[in-house]
Amino acid sequence: MKGDGAMGPNRSKALLEREPRFDDMAVSLLAMPRLPKAMVKETKQAVELARRFNDTVVRPYALELDRKKHEDPDFLPWEFVEEANRWGLYTLCIPTLFGGQGVNFPALSYVLEELGSACTGMSNLVGVHYLGVATLCASWNMRLMNKVMRDTAEGEKTGEPCLISLAITEPGAGTDVEEVDLVSKAQVACQAKKVKGGYVVNGRKIFISNGHLSYWHMLVCYEDLKNPQDTVIMLAIHNGMKGFSFGRQERKMGQKGCPASELIFEDCFVPDDLVCINPAQGKKLKRSMKETHMQVIDYIVAASRAGVGAFGVGVARGAYEEALRFAGETEVDGKLLINHEWAQCMLAEMYKNVAVGRLTYEEANYANDLLGMFKVLEWKPIFYYLKYMPKPIMDKVIQPFLNLGAVTWLFRKIYFDWQKETDYQCSSGWGSLSKFTATDIGVKNGQLALEMMGRAGLRHDRGAEKHLRDSKLLQIYEGTNQLNRLNLFKCLIGRDVPGARVFEE
Amino acid sequence: MKIAQDAEMRMLDQMAADFAAKELVEAREDHDRYPFLPLFEDVLAKAHEVGFFTLLLPEAAGGGEQGISALSLILDDICRSDASLGGIIFTTALAHEMILKAKSEALLPPVASGDHSYREALIACPSFDNPGEAGNLLQAKGKGKKHMLSGSIEYVVLAGLCGRALLPAKVEGDESYSLFLVDLTSPGVEVSEPVFSLGLHACPACDLELKGVEATLVGRQGEGRAYFDAAVDKMFLAAAAMATGIMKGSFTEAFEYSLQRHQGGWEIINWSEVRMLLASLAIKCKVADMLLSEACRAAEADEAGWGLGARAAAIHVQELACDATTDGIQLLGGNGYMEDYGQEKRFRDAKQIQSLLGLTPMKRLDYIRRIREGEKPW
Ligand SMILES: Cc1cc2nc3c(=O)[nH]c(=O)nc-3n(C[C@H](O)[C@H](O)[C@H](O)COP(=O)(O)OP(=O)(O)OC[C@H]3O[C@@H](n4cnc5c(N)ncnc54)[C@H](O)[C@@H]3O)c2cc1C
């Protein structure tokens, strides 16, 4: 390029590292050439599957389930979960290495958008399982990843769904557990005390999506409640363990189909072999436990917040589609609403919201492909190796290696020790950006749809009001949108501003 | 509300606030579960006893002969706690107001509290509609005072609760619609189950199917639109008052929560971003309160152009309430999304009442139409 020589390589590098860093601005551009082409076909097939599932299962049942939960708040949608299990939705994006179908992770966002456009509650019933998967993966404990995810695969075969939930929120600590600088001051109360052969857990977790419907629960708690940032521990809990029980289901405004559960631990013994990661294991890593703790959170949320972004886009699309249908069939002031210019502009605004929201979750996923959780799986040699390796060989020859400590060691080297700070800043920053942008859009489109539809939109039987109720949750969970703005600031803005401090008012 | 200045208004204010605190707060969650739990009939009976359903009617008709300021004041107080009762008061007041504008109060049976049940005091009407905008109206046939109505009409608020409805219908050949009083227990009237809706669960609406139902013309034939337009400016103020009350309730709940809830080692009010959200909510409440008070004052003084002011206040305040109640949930985090707190209900109710009296965008277009037709914008 002209002028290249004059600037010299160091000067060029410095220019590109100036904020906004080129690597943060052009994530998709950088990621695309590295990604396997087969992802496109896989994603198309996944979207097709989701649309078929919507037509067959979601749409015919969405309003009925919502109303049923209004009527009976303790109802659990087992039938739906069993159906989703039959359709393979719970193993869709589990890598073939762990017995799943191995569809690339970013494809999940498109699936969640599709399902969310018909019913965000049901989309959550599918999507939250992958929040559990992402949490498990963020420990890079290959033995447990293999064990737990193979249970899900087995559950698909037997027809007994085996979902995974994430349990981190406590009655006294919601925002605080999402951020190590806050957890150090938090009123956490769920404790794991080391005893011979394992841990004894006491405490409560609340608001756990899919709690009552899951078999495995990724429990995040602390060895020392006064020093939670350095003593975090992730345990794999399963139903039926002594001392573990379910409490109440919350009565939510929307997404009613998906339960938010209380998990209760009373002297619950968890053997050592169900420890995903603990401070003792953390000591073997390059960074301090506090830093590793944040790295684990960032791995999870960088992936899962893109998923919440997809829910936001889905619900925004659902609201838009209801409004469009209404405008095409309703006369106002003597002509079809769709032929009023203001209505056309409103619909265009809603369409734009959906499109912009989608771009954000796509970009966040590119960041995960390039720098975050998906980078090894989507590295071309590994991607094609896993895709085309015959299943019997995978299950019989390769799988046993996953139980070797050396494999976990290697993955932790790659994912913890070799990950650069700028890598997780970029993927976590984009995760947050997508999360709050797309979910604000979800609420906005819900509001616009009802404005356009007036009292017709208020009726439960038209479906539009449900989108608004469903959308509001998205601004709250996976960290409130305020916390996500602060995380964006921390990851992509504050890091380069001398004197900038986050969470220290 | 700033309007509560003279002694009588202060008394009304206190009475409504006490009523809300005593009757509406504790069982709010259960009240809101209608139609899956029983209707709060005991509360409705008490509301009738204190005269909430007949505020605008003249004394001769058993009413309180109050003005729009009093109605707004009461709706503001009530809706802070539970806007469903506000919706019931609003709908009946709208029907009364249209009947008064048609000079047809003689059609109202005596409904003084005490002697009559609350059901007799209520009048159902499609309070979420501007009938002039609707594509399909009921058809009326007949002459003089008695007509026969046929057709279907959606979302008639309170139709499942009371025996009478004020309905718009078009007599064949007429340019515009007329208003009719219909006895909902007459043969030929089919009332649906309550239409389950976004908000105001305990202020239910039903769809009606009418087959040759005898109805009494209210006012003059073909003048329904005139009565609606004459009544509606006042009712815009009442709708704005409901939104203002909901917003204030949302702020109070959020403010109190922020003083109690700890995150990051202190009460969340110490985080400046939390204070920013609270400030934005509080400012919206204050603006709404001032706007409403001024608009009520202008209406009571019958100042030129007060009708436009009432509409501007309603459109603006209702929009503010939708945004404010979204933040009202946000400030409580996950708890805000749960039915145990009032915030999620306020969010639903605020959005629900934004559609009172017709489509919001059409209200905006109508606003400009009036200016274009010569009304002074300020
Ligand atoms: C339906 C539902 C499903 C959920 N599913 C799960 C799940 O599956 N697993 C799980 O572990 N959790 C789950 N959650 C919990 C969710 O992630 C938390 O609700 C969320 O993180 C907020 O925490 P909180 O509710 O305690 O609110 P709080 O943290 O108490 O926040 C209250 C308010 O204070 C603000 N605030 C707090 N701290 C700060 C700060 N430092 N700076 C600025 N503002 C601040 C917040 O933004 C918010 O406005 C779920 C929640 C809900 C409602």
Side-chain angles (χ1 to χ4, degrees):
Chain A
M1 210 181 285
K2 228 176 167 186
D4 212 12
M7 290 196 288
N10 283 345
R11 173 117 173 80
S12 302
K13 204 167 165 234
L15 285 172
L16 293 177
E17 280 179 2
R18 187 189 286 173
E19 292 290 344
R21 293 174 64 240
F22 181 78
D23 288 1
D24 297 331
M25 289 167 51
V27 183
S28 39
L29 190 66
L30 295 167
M32 266 189 257
R34 299 197 196 183
L35 296 176
K37 224 174 154 185
M39 280 174 73
V40 177
K41 192 167 171 207
E42 267 185 19
T43 307
K44 271 190 188 165
Q45 287 170 342
V47 169
E48 263 177 54
L49 173 80
R51 290 189 173 180
R52 236 178 302 126
F53 187 69
N54 270 352
D55 290 346
T56 320
V57 181
V58 178
R59 287 205 179 86
Y61 187 42
L63 289 178
E64 189 187 328
L65 174 59
D66 187 70
R67 195 175 160 112
K68 208 173 220 156
K69 285 288 278 193
H70 273 289
E71 225 169 320
D72 173 10
D74 294 326
F75 177 81
L76 285 169
W78 279 112
E79 253 177 68
F80 174 85
V81 172
E82 280 160 13
E83 199 59 33
N85 193 44
R86 255 195 299 282
W87 280 67
L89 292 175
Y90 295 120
T91 60
L92 188 73
C93 293
I94 286 184
T96 49
L97 192 59
F98 306 121
Q101 299 173 60
V103 170
N104 68 85
F105 266 109
L108 182 66
S109 296
Y110 295 95
V111 170
L112 297 179
E113 175 190 327
E114 290 300 326
L115 303 185
S117 70
C119 174
T120 319
M122 289 182 183
S123 189
N124 218 25
L125 282 166
V126 173
V128 165
H129 163 69
Y130 288 99
L131 172 64
V133 168
T135 307
L136 174 63
C137 291
S139 72
W140 304 108
N141 184 326
M142 299 300 275
R143 180 183 56 78
L144 273 175
M145 284 159 74
N146 189 38
K147 179 182 171 68
V148 174
M149 287 192 259
R150 277 186 184 270
D151 272 2
T152 301
E154 188 59 25
E156 189 175 296
K157 279 196 212 123
T158 60
E160 284 179 38
C162 179
L163 275 57
I164 310 170
S165 81
L166 158 62
I168 183 167
T169 305
E170 306 191 4
T175 300
D176 282 357
V177 292
E178 307 259 340
E179 173 60 55
V180 279
D181 287 332
L182 292 172
V183 85
S184 57
K185 302 172 212 157
Q187 296 176 345
V188 286
C190 192
Q191 188 173 24
K193 273 198 183 143
K194 187 74 191 109
V195 293
K196 196 163 168 257
Y199 283 86
V200 170
V201 180
N202 278 290
R204 283 194 306 138
K205 294 285 171 180
I206 56 163
F207 299 161
I208 308 310
S209 298
N210 278 358
H212 281 81
L213 298 168
S214 298
Y215 178 76
W216 282 102
H217 312 274
M218 296 301 117
L219 173 69
V220 178
C221 52
Y222 311 92
E223 285 185 7
D224 178 359
L225 298 180
K226 295 216 171 66
N227 186 17
Q229 72 278 16
D230 297 318
T231 65
V232 68
I233 170 165
M234 192 200 295
L235 302 168
I237 306 286
H238 62 78
N239 293 353
M241 283 171 81
K242 202 163 164 246
F244 165 53
S245 59
F246 294 114
R248 72 176 228 137
Q249 260 195 71
E250 296 292 340
R251 299 184 172 194
K252 297 182 284 150
M253 170 168 73
Q255 297 204 18
K256 285 192 168 276
C258 179
S261 315
E262 182 184 22
L263 272 50
I264 301 169
F265 300 91
E266 289 163 317
D267 289 332
C268 175
F269 176 73
V270 185
D272 280 331
D273 66 351
L274 294 183
V275 174
C276 302
I277 189 166
N278 66 2
Q281 295 175 26
K283 272 203 188 113
K284 296 182 190 145
L285 302 171
K286 188 176 87 177
R287 294 182 170 89
S288 71
M289 194 57 205
K290 183 178 168 188
E291 287 166 320
T292 304
H293 184 167
M294 196 64 230
Q295 226 179 340
V296 170
I297 293 177
D298 278 327
Y299 269 123
I300 302 169
V301 297
S304 64
R305 285 174 182 162
V308 178
F311 288 144
V313 175
V315 79
R317 204 178 107 189
Y320 154 78
E321 285 169 358
E322 287 299 340
L324 179 64
R325 202 177 1 259
F326 179 80
E329 61 192 28
T330 310
E331 263 196 21
V332 171
D333 236 6
K335 63 179 174 190
L336 275 183
L337 189 53
I338 200 151
N339 292 328
H340 290 249
E341 195 181 59
W342 65 264
Q344 293 169 355
C345 286
M346 209 179 214
L347 286 165
E349 181 69 17
M350 293 169 82
Y351 184 95
K352 176 267 297 183
N353 284 345
V354 171
V356 168
R358 189 181 297 121
L359 289 175
T360 68
Y361 79 62
E362 287 173 334
E363 196 70 359
N365 278 332
Y366 282 124
N368 287 317
D369 291 331
L370 197 62
L371 311 162
M373 186 173 267
F374 317 148
K375 72 178 169 200
V376 170
L377 284 174
E378 271 136 38
W379 186 45
K380 279 177 195 160
I382 300 270
F383 179 89
Y384 286 113
Y385 179 78
L386 292 177
K387 193 168 173 68
Y388 295 115
M389 174 67 66
K391 192 169 161 25
I393 299 185
M394 189 80 81
D395 291 351
K396 298 230 161 61
V397 183
I398 299 175
Q399 198 220 141
F401 285 100
L402 298 173
N403 295 330
L404 298 178
V407 178
T408 294
W409 175 85
L410 177 65
F411 270 81
R412 286 186 173 168
K413 263 273 163 272
I414 298 170
Y415 274 102
F416 288 127
D417 292 354
W418 296 346
Q419 196 198 30
K420 289 187 289 184
E421 216 171 304
T422 46
D423 291 353
Y424 60 79
Q425 283 168 341
C426 178
S427 49
S428 183
W430 269 102
S432 282
L433 186 148
S434 175
K435 197 270 179 186
F436 71 75
T437 307
T439 61
D440 285 351
I441 276 169
V443 173
K444 187 74 212 163
N445 272 16
Q447 290 174 328
L448 288 175
L450 293 200
E451 264 158 58
M452 177 172 276
M453 296 172 71
R455 65 134 166 87
L458 303 174
R459 304 171 65 108
H460 184 263
D461 53 16
R462 297 266 341 192
E465 62 87 34
K466 177 175 172 299
H467 289 305
L468 180 66
R469 282 187 287 115
D470 288 354
S471 69
K472 180 60 200 150
L473 173 58
L474 306 174
Q475 294 182 318
I476 299 167
Y477 70 2
E478 290 288 305
T480 62
N481 281 7
Q482 286 64 41
L483 183 270
N484 275 282
R485 285 188 171 83
L486 291 165
N487 190 51
L488 170 77
F489 177 87
K490 183 183 88 171
C491 291
L492 297 176
I493 305 172
R495 63 180 180 192
D496 267 352
V497 183
R501 299 267 178 280
V502 190
F503 306 114
E504 286 180 27
E505 289 218 287
Chain B
M1 211 175 129
K2 212 168 133 256
I3 200 99
Q5 277 159 352
D6 68 28
E8 192 189 344
M9 291 293 258
R10 275 202 297 275
M11 243 175 61
L12 265 182
D13 195 15
Q14 191 60 48
M15 189 264 287
D18 290 348
F19 185 94
K22 197 158 154 246
E23 307 294 342
L24 297 177
V25 177
E26 205 178 304
R28 173 171 45 211
E29 202 187 323
D30 282 349
H31 293 166
D32 196 56
R33 292 203 58 216
Y34 183 80
F36 306 113
L37 287 183
L39 190 72
F40 55 171
E41 300 219 40
D42 51 335
V43 175
L44 295 183
K46 286 178 191 160
H48 179 42
E49 238 169 72
V50 294
F52 285 166
F53 300 141
T54 49
L55 280 165
L56 295 183
L57 289 182
E59 272 178 25
E65 204 153 342
Q66 293 289 347
I68 188 60
S69 297
L71 177 65
S72 298
L73 193 66
I74 285 168
L75 286 173
D76 176 334
D77 282 322
I78 295 290
C79 292
R80 288 181 213 192
S81 300
D82 187 344
S84 284
L85 179 58
I88 296 174
I89 297 173
F90 176 92
T91 299
T92 296
L94 171 65
H96 284 162
E97 194 59 16
M98 286 193 280
I99 291 169
L100 292 179
K101 292 296 175 204
K103 299 200 177 2
S104 300
E105 51 270 39
L107 292 177
L108 293 170
V111 286
S113 54
D115 311 336
H116 300 270
S117 87
Y118 77 86
R119 285 177 191 268
E120 285 173 61
L122 302 180
I123 302 186
C125 74
S127 49
F128 285 86
D129 283 316
N130 175 346
E133 284 162 13
N136 297 324
L137 281 171
L138 291 170
Q139 294 297 316
K141 278 195 180 136
K143 276 211 174 96
K145 278 288 164 199
K146 292 289 171 209
H147 284 69
M148 305 298 259
L149 302 195
S150 296
S152 50
I153 177 165
E154 284 190 0
Y155 222 75
V156 180
V157 183
L158 306 185
L161 287 193
C162 57
R164 279 169 308 154
L166 182 67
L167 300 177
K170 214 165 169 182
V171 179
E172 214 171 52
D174 281 1
E175 221 169 79
S176 186
Y177 63 90
S178 313
L179 292 176
F180 295 91
L181 260 182
V182 178
D183 180 349
L184 294 174
T185 59
S186 315
V189 181
E190 212 175 289
V191 182
S192 75
E193 289 294 302
V195 180
F196 192 51
S197 302
L198 172 66
L200 304 190
H201 287 171
C203 170
C206 297
D207 298 335
L208 300 184
E209 195 71 45
L210 274 66
K211 288 191 192 118
V213 177
E214 194 177 289
T216 308
L217 179 68
V218 175
R220 285 196 305 275
Q221 191 177 316
E223 293 290 312
R225 186 179 194 134
Y227 305 140
F228 178 84
D229 284 349
V232 86
D233 283 347
K234 236 188 211 182
M235 295 316 293
F236 270 119
L237 290 173
M242 291 176 72
T244 306
I246 293 174
M247 243 192 288
K248 288 177 182 168
S250 186
F251 170 75
T252 308
E253 188 103 38
F255 182 68
E256 280 165 10
Y257 190 84
S258 72
L259 296 170
Q260 308 288 330
R261 174 73 174 167
H262 276 246
Q263 283 301 278
W266 54 10
E267 298 83 2
I268 56 172
I269 196 162
N270 293 303
W271 295 110
S272 58
E273 177 62 7
V274 168
R275 293 200 298 284
M276 286 300 255
L277 278 184
L278 282 169
S280 147
L281 223 171
I283 290 165
K284 288 187 176 93
C285 291
K286 188 70 186 166
V287 167
D289 192 274
M290 292 191 298
L291 204 54
L292 180 59
S293 303
E294 169 55 19
C296 282
R297 191 202 54 72
E300 299 277 14
D302 202 15
E303 278 177 10
W306 73 263
L308 267 192
R311 281 162 189 260
I315 293 167
H316 187 61
V317 170
Q318 286 178 326
E319 190 171 322
L320 289 183
C322 293
D323 290 341
T325 50
T326 308
D327 288 347
I329 292 183
Q330 197 68 14
L331 282 155
L332 271 70
N335 280 333
Y337 197 66
M338 306 307 172
E339 291 171 12
D340 324 42
Y341 294 77
Q343 299 297 73
E344 64 86 31
K345 174 169 160 43
R346 293 188 177 100
F347 170 85
R348 289 185 286 106
D349 289 347
K351 195 69 201 167
Q352 175 98 11
I353 65 164
Q354 194 182 25
S355 291
L356 279 170
L357 305 171
L359 279 181
T360 306
M362 298 308 286
K363 288 178 209 159
R364 289 176 189 273
L365 293 178
D366 207 44
Y367 192 83
I368 278 303
R369 179 187 60 77
R370 288 174 64 151
I371 293 175
R372 206 175 163 193
E373 284 172 5
E375 280 189 58
K376 291 219 171 72
W378 31 79

